[in-house]
Amino acid sequence: MKSLVNKTVKLFLKSKYRALTQVMQSPFEYQYGLFDHLIETARHTEWGRKYQYEELTSYDSFRSRLPLSSYEDLQPHIHRMMLGERDVLWPGRITWYSKSSGTTNSRSKFLPVSEENFNDSHKKGSWDTLSILYHYHPNLQLFEKKSLILGGSLSHFKDNPETIIGDVSAIMITNLPLIGRPFYMPDVKTAIMEDWEKKLDLTADLALREPNIGTIGGVPTWNLVLFRKILQKTGAAHMLEVWPELRLYIHGGVNFQPYRNQFRQMIPRDDFIFQEVYNASEGYFGTQYRPDEDMILLLDNGVFYEFVAMSEYGSPHQNVIPLEDVKLNVDYAVIISTSSGLWRYDIGDTIRFTNNNPYQFRIVGRTRQYINAFGEEVMIHNTDTAISRTAAKTLSEIKDYTVAPRYLEDGEKGRHDWLIEFQHPPESLHTFATVLDDELQKVNSDYAAKRTKNLALEQLSVTALPENTFEKWLKSQNRQGSQVKVPRLSNTRDYVDDILDFTNLQKIHVDD
C-alpha cells in the first residue's frame, strides 16, 4: 500500500516540478500577476480602502503610495484581527497566527496565516520542495518511510480563544493533509505540546519504537538535542544504528554550516541528503534547488517581493526595488506583501542573490543582527563562516554562539566578545580565539582594517560556556520552540551580559 502511495505521489510531484520550472522561466510575469491578484483581493479591506487600492494601476503607484511597514506599524491591526475583526488587512476573518519570537526582540510577534496564505505559500512551498527532491533523487521513498518533524506548539489566544497561535511548524502539522498523516511522527498531540522538555522526551521514546524513519526536519540545534537523548537511551554509536533507513534532513532557520560536521558524525552516510528551506512565519520563501546549490526564490506562492540594498537600508533616501532590478552579490533587506495582509512588510532578513536564471540566493543575516560598533560591519554570514573554519582547524565542534562588542572605555581599546558553547572544545581556547580572529579578518576586510596593529580593535575574546547554557537561558526567557534561535549578533551587550549574569560567569580574557 505504501509503495503504491509513493508511486502515485511521485507522478503528482512531476507535475509540480514542471509548474515550478515554468515559474522560474517567467519570474516577472508570475510576480506581477500575483501582485495584481493581491491588490484586487484586498481592495475592499480596511487597509485597501485606506490606501485606495481600487485606484492603484501599477506597481509604481503602489510603491509611491504605501509606506514600508514594520511589525510595530501593523501590530494594532493584527491585534484587532486576533480579537475577531474581519476585513482589516485581508478579506474575512483569520483565526491562525504564527508566533515568532524573533532574535532581536524578546517580545513575541503574531503574524496572520490566512487560509490562502497557508495553501498557496506554506503548503505549496512544501510540495515544491518535495518535487525538487524527487526530481534529483528519483529513488527516494518518503511515502514509504516515516518522517520525524520536530515542530513547535499551539495555544489559544487568551483574549479570544477562537484565535489559535503557535509556531508555523505546529500550524502546518495540525493542518497536515490526510495523505501525509500515516507517514509522519510524532502524533499531533505530542508534536504541538507546549512543554518542550516533555515533548522531546516523549518524541525520543516514540522514535525508538519506529525504526523506519527516513526523513527528519526542524532547526538543527533541537534535532541535535533529540539525537543525543536517543543515543543516551540506546547506547548506539550514531543515528544509523537506530534508524538505518535515514536518508534526508530538511532544515532551515539558521545557517547550517556550523552544524554540518556534527550531523555528519551523527549520520555517517555518504549519500545522505541535506535540503535547505526558507519557511518563515510569514511564508515559504525558498528551497534548495540542486544538491549543493543555493536556494531558489519561490515566486508563485502568495508573496510579492521587494528589496532594499543594505548599503541604503534605513537611510532617508533608500531605494526600494522589485525583483527585476536586483543585482548579484549585493546584500538586500527583504520586503514582502502577502496573502495574509502583510503589506510592504520588512521581515528583518537579508539575502544575497547568486544567480538570476533562476533566481537563487542565500540568507546572509538579519537587518538588526550585526556588529558595527567600530565601523567593522560584521554580519552573521561572516561569523558563521569564520567559526566553521576555526572549528575545522582546531578539531573542535560548536554547539552555538553569540557575539557582542566591548566598547572603548577607561582608555581600553574595543573588541568583540564571543560566548561559545562547545560540543567538543578545542585543546587551547587561546589558540581557538587567535585562529577565529584571523578567520574573521579573512572574510571581512573592514574588521581586518580595524584590527591592523590593534589600532581600533584588540583581538576578540572567547568565553566557553557550560553545557546547555543557551538552552537553559532560553528556557528562563520563556523562549523555547522550534522557531526559537539563539541571537547570534547584537550591536549592544544586552544578550551577552544577560547570559553572563544568568550563568554567574566572570568574563575571562583569553590573553590571561
Side-chain angles (χ1 to χ4, degrees):
M1 179 63 181
K2 289 184 177 180
S3 177
L4 178 61
V5 171
N6 194 64
K7 290 179 181 178
T8 303
V9 171
K10 283 179 70 172
L11 292 175
F12 170 71
L13 291 175
K14 283 185 178 181
S15 67
K16 296 291 291 183
Y17 184 79
R18 286 194 295 270
L20 181 63
T21 301
Q22 290 177 349
V23 174
M24 290 189 292
Q25 292 172 347
S26 305
F28 312 135
E29 176 184 342
Y30 278 92
Q31 270 286 277
Y32 285 118
L34 175 60
F35 169 79
D36 291 339
H37 168 74
L38 293 175
I39 297 299
E40 176 63 28
T41 304
R43 61 189 299 189
H44 297 301
T45 63
E46 179 183 302
W47 186 271
R49 292 193 300 272
K50 176 181 179 180
Y51 290 102
Q52 300 174 306
Y53 274 22
E54 62 183 14
E55 297 180 5
L56 294 179
T57 58
S58 66
Y59 165 67
D60 285 337
S61 58
F62 171 79
R63 177 166 53 178
S64 63
R65 181 170 297 180
L66 270 73
L68 298 189
S69 299
S70 66
Y71 181 75
E72 288 70 25
D73 296 325
L74 297 180
Q75 191 275 336
H77 304 281
I78 294 173
H79 184 71
R80 289 166 48 209
M81 294 162 65
M82 295 176 71
L83 292 175
E85 289 196 39
R86 303 172 61 89
D87 305 326
V88 180
L89 294 173
W90 190 252
R93 180 169 171 243
I94 297 177
T95 57
W96 294 88
Y97 292 81
S98 60
K99 180 180 179 181
S100 173
S101 63
T103 49
T104 59
N105 194 322
S106 59
R107 187 184 63 181
S108 295
K109 300 177 181 179
F110 299 100
L111 300 157
V113 181
S114 68
E115 183 177 355
E116 183 171 347
N117 176 257
F118 179 81
N119 289 327
D120 292 350
S121 188
H122 295 289
K123 188 164 77 172
K124 184 176 182 297
S126 299
W127 284 119
D128 287 338
T129 294
L130 291 179
S131 75
I132 289 172
L133 282 166
Y134 268 87
H135 179 78
Y136 288 101
H137 308 280
N139 294 323
L140 273 177
Q141 299 174 321
L142 301 187
F143 292 87
E144 294 183 36
K145 314 294 181 187
K146 287 273 191 177
S147 295
L148 190 153
I149 310 298
L150 205 54
S153 61
L154 291 177
S155 62
H156 293 276
F157 182 46
K158 63 181 178 62
D159 293 332
N160 180 18
E162 293 183 5
T163 293
I164 302 172
I165 58 178
D167 291 351
V168 68
S169 57
I171 294 174
M172 294 186 70
I173 289 167
T174 304
N175 292 279
L176 195 69
L178 290 177
I179 190 174
R181 290 189 183 275
F183 306 96
Y184 167 81
M185 70 169 303
D187 59 276
V188 173
K189 182 179 178 181
T190 301
I192 63 175
M193 289 178 64
E194 291 191 68
D195 188 328
W196 193 250
E197 289 183 83
K198 185 176 181 181
K199 174 163 58 180
L200 282 170
D201 284 331
L202 284 174
T203 300
D205 290 337
L206 290 169
L208 288 176
R209 299 198 293 268
E210 178 53 71
N212 198 33
I213 291 178
T215 302
I216 52 174
V219 174
T221 47
W222 292 114
N223 276 275
L224 288 171
V225 171
L226 178 65
F227 289 171
R228 292 185 190 109
K229 282 183 177 291
I230 291 173
L231 294 180
Q232 186 177 26
K233 287 174 179 285
T234 61
H238 52 73
M239 292 308 300
L240 293 180
E241 291 185 0
V242 182
W243 301 328
E245 300 297 326
L246 191 57
R247 179 82 190 282
L248 168 67
Y249 175 38
I250 300 176
H251 63 89
V254 297
N255 187 329
F256 185 61
Q257 195 58 38
Y259 305 99
R260 185 177 292 273
N261 189 48
Q262 293 181 63
F263 273 83
R264 287 290 189 195
Q265 292 182 8
M266 292 263 194
I267 311 168
R269 179 170 181 163
D270 291 339
D271 63 346
F272 191 77
I273 303 165
F274 295 99
Q275 177 76 16
E276 183 178 11
V277 299
Y278 186 10
N279 187 18
S281 298
E282 300 88 347
Y284 205 123
F285 303 141
T287 185
Q288 193 171 346
Y289 185 37
R290 299 185 184 94
D292 300 319
E293 285 196 5
D294 292 327
M295 291 183 283
I296 56 167
L297 195 65
L298 297 175
L299 301 173
D300 186 32
N301 69 333
V303 180
F304 180 76
Y305 300 97
E306 297 174 273
F307 306 91
V308 180
M310 285 304 295
S311 59
E312 303 175 0
Y313 181 79
S315 70
H317 306 294
Q318 63 182 8
N319 186 29
V320 185
I321 59 175
L323 179 68
E324 61 190 282
D325 292 336
V326 301
K327 301 183 185 306
L328 300 185
N329 300 313
V330 173
D331 293 351
Y332 291 102
V334 183
I335 311 298
I336 61 171
S337 296
T338 77
S339 54
S340 275
L342 298 176
W343 298 105
R344 304 201 83 194
Y345 177 66
D346 181 351
I347 63 175
D349 287 340
T350 58
I351 69 173
R352 178 186 303 159
F353 286 98
T354 56
N355 193 358
N356 57 13
N357 186 26
Y359 278 92
Q360 289 179 267
F361 70 96
R362 61 186 60 165
I363 302 171
V364 294
R366 300 277 297 171
T367 56
R368 297 182 187 178
Q369 277 204 67
Y370 60 89
I371 300 179
N372 194 29
F374 312 98
E376 65 273 48
E377 296 186 8
V378 171
M379 302 291 285
I380 291 176
H381 66 284
N382 298 145
T383 55
D384 278 346
T385 299
I387 202 168
S388 295
R389 292 177 180 176
T390 303
K393 288 186 175 182
T394 59
L395 303 179
S396 57
E397 288 185 6
I398 305 300
K399 191 173 181 182
D400 230 322
Y401 72 91
T402 190
V403 192
R406 170 72 69 179
Y407 286 93
L408 293 80
E409 55 186 21
D410 298 329
E412 294 182 359
K413 296 183 175 68
R415 67 169 186 264
H416 288 186
D417 287 349
W418 290 62
L419 306 186
I420 302 176
E421 190 175 326
F422 289 95
Q423 183 63 32
H424 295 298
E427 288 189 10
S428 167
L429 201 60
H430 176 88
T431 300
F432 184 94
T434 301
V435 174
L436 179 59
D437 192 85
D438 183 58
E439 292 297 333
L440 190 56
Q441 292 185 55
K442 290 178 182 177
V443 297
N444 186 302
S445 58
D446 290 318
Y447 180 77
K450 303 302 182 295
R451 283 283 295 116
T452 302
K453 297 182 179 180
N454 291 340
L455 290 177
L457 285 174
E458 293 181 338
Q459 177 177 294
L460 59 83
S461 167
V462 173
T463 292
L465 297 176
E467 185 178 2
N468 297 327
T469 293
F470 284 124
E471 183 180 345
K472 293 175 182 176
W473 175 73
L474 287 171
K475 183 180 179 181
S476 75
Q477 303 287 310
N478 195 27
R479 296 182 64 193
Q480 287 187 299
S482 65
Q483 300 297 312
V484 176
K485 301 172 281 291
V486 174
R488 289 284 172 82
L489 304 183
S490 176
N491 219 34
T492 74
R493 293 188 58 82
D494 293 348
Y495 292 124
V496 163
D497 287 341
D498 192 57
I499 293 168
L500 289 172
D501 289 341
F502 174 76
T503 55
N504 293 316
L505 285 177
Q506 294 295 319
K507 187 72 177 71
I508 302 174
H509 197 289
V510 293
D511 288 338
D512 292 348

